[in-house]
Amino acid sequence: MTGNGDGKFNLCYTPSASVTPQAWVEFQTQAGQMWSVVDANGGLYSTATYSLNNISGTTNLGNVYANDGQSRAWHALDTLNKLWWNRGSTTNCWASSQQDGHCTPITIQWYPGSTDGTYWSTGEDKIHLADNDPDSEHTTAHEAGHALMGKLYHGWWPNVSNCSPHYVNRTSSTSCGWTEGFANAVAFHTFNDTTYYWGNGSSMNLANDRSTNGIDPGDACEARVATALVDLWSQVDGGWMKSNTMMTRTWQSSFREYFVNDRPEHGLDSGPTAQNILYNHTIQY
Ligand SMILES: [Zn+2]
């Protein structure tokens, strides 16, 4: 398959006879070995074009649409492309903690009407999206951010307290602020924005400074951690590659541990410029 940049594609096939009596193209919700969207039973969604008859040369498939009831599965699958293209890994896996040929995939389970969401589970390493969640690319990327963190951490996960439920603009705990803040930062980094959208269409602008009302201060508030992280990556680290690489070597239970202990130990700046970024997001160490 070539030329798939704008939703169009060319597909080449070498036939065994001059005329191919019947051909069709079937798509499945799996991107190589790296990610997939599965139904309630763990099976891939598939959708096929109309069958074409007696083909002897180039032919046009026309428009191809996802089967009824599958659109959100395909949307979630497509959203992960955007994270994959800029995933901050030095290997062909999602995370530099994994070497080529030994990657683990990101798996999303979604089905129409699902109420099983919205979360990623450490043990089974699977994302569960509820019915309208895939409409929010931030939600898909956020949950993939948890999966990415699990891969960076080699399957380790911090002890997280006071995190269920948690609210993006409210104080939870420093451990919840860290894991959720990182996941939000993954979404913001992926889409280069700071407005979080939910599947029901609501949204919240999480851009903040010291004068922002409506977003709790400090590193137990995930919005503060998320915006501090993306600013560190873009303004201090020249992207998030170095930070992600660090996170494959040392694991954190809080933003304080990330900033105060681990960044300087691994050659990432925690000096005045970096501290000022945190200060502007109401975090002081
Ligand atoms: Zn989360």
Side-chain angles (χ1 to χ4, degrees):
M1 186 183 280
T2 57
N4 56 351
D6 59 356
K8 296 176 182 167
F9 60 89
N10 295 308
L11 193 62
C12 296
Y13 167 71
T14 307
S16 49
S18 58
V19 175
T20 301
Q22 197 175 38
W24 66 93
V25 182
E26 181 177 312
F27 300 86
Q28 296 190 325
T29 49
Q30 183 169 36
Q33 297 298 309
M34 295 317 301
W35 71 96
S36 63
V37 178
V38 300
D39 63 20
N41 300 313
L44 297 171
Y45 289 93
S46 66
T47 209
T49 65
Y50 292 114
S51 166
L52 300 167
N53 298 314
N54 303 320
I55 304 164
S56 56
T58 299
T59 188
N60 192 337
L61 287 164
N63 292 327
V64 182
Y65 298 98
N67 282 347
D68 255 8
Q70 292 188 2
S71 296
R72 283 168 165 158
W74 290 97
H75 190 181
L77 186 83
D78 189 35
T79 298
L80 287 194
N81 272 301
K82 295 168 185 168
L83 177 58
W84 174 257
W85 290 328
N86 193 1
R87 66 192 179 280
S89 172
T90 56
T91 67
N92 288 318
C93 302
W94 282 106
S96 310
S97 51
Q98 301 178 342
Q99 299 305 312
D100 300 359
H102 302 277
C103 307
T104 58
I106 290 180
T107 305
I108 296 174
Q109 184 163 56
W110 171 91
Y111 44 91
S114 172
T115 55
D116 179 29
T118 308
Y119 61 97
W120 167 79
S121 56
T122 46
E124 57 170 359
D125 189 9
K126 190 197 276 183
I127 294 166
H128 298 254
L129 295 184
D131 186 39
N132 67 13
D133 285 339
D135 293 359
S136 163
E137 298 193 351
H138 287 82
T139 297
T140 301
H142 172 104
E143 298 307 331
H146 288 312
L148 180 67
M149 188 182 236
K151 294 179 197 307
L152 292 169
Y153 283 172
H154 303 254
W156 178 83
W157 197 253
N159 264 323
V160 179
S161 59
N162 192 29
C163 207
S164 188
H166 61 88
Y167 302 95
V168 68
N169 59 331
R170 293 294 172 224
T171 298
S172 50
S173 65
T174 55
S175 52
C176 184
W178 170 241
T179 54
E180 296 304 327
F182 180 83
N184 295 330
V186 170
F188 294 151
H189 181 266
T190 301
F191 306 118
N192 194 28
D193 62 13
T194 51
T195 300
Y196 199 99
Y197 288 86
W198 282 272
N200 64 7
S202 66
S203 66
M204 193 182 287
N205 182 357
L206 296 172
N208 66 85
D209 58 23
R210 297 187 66 79
S211 68
T212 303
N213 293 313
I215 299 179
D216 291 343
D219 65 359
C221 174
E222 55 184 274
R224 300 289 189 176
V225 172
T227 48
L229 271 175
V230 291
D231 285 355
L232 284 174
W233 295 338
S234 68
Q235 296 171 34
V236 178
D237 298 343
W240 69 337
M241 181 80 84
K242 288 181 199 162
S243 174
N244 281 4
T245 299
M246 181 185 90
M247 288 171 65
T248 68
R249 294 177 182 149
T250 180
W251 311 333
Q252 299 82 23
S253 298
S254 66
F255 186 54
R256 173 189 286 274
E257 188 180 347
Y258 169 89
F259 189 82
V260 175
N261 303 103
D262 295 337
R263 283 181 62 91
E265 253 175 44
H266 289 78
L268 288 171
D269 188 28
S270 284
T273 304
Q275 286 167 23
N276 198 44
I277 287 171
L278 270 58
Y279 180 80
N280 285 334
H281 294 298
T282 71
I283 298 171
Q284 278 177 280
Y285 296 129

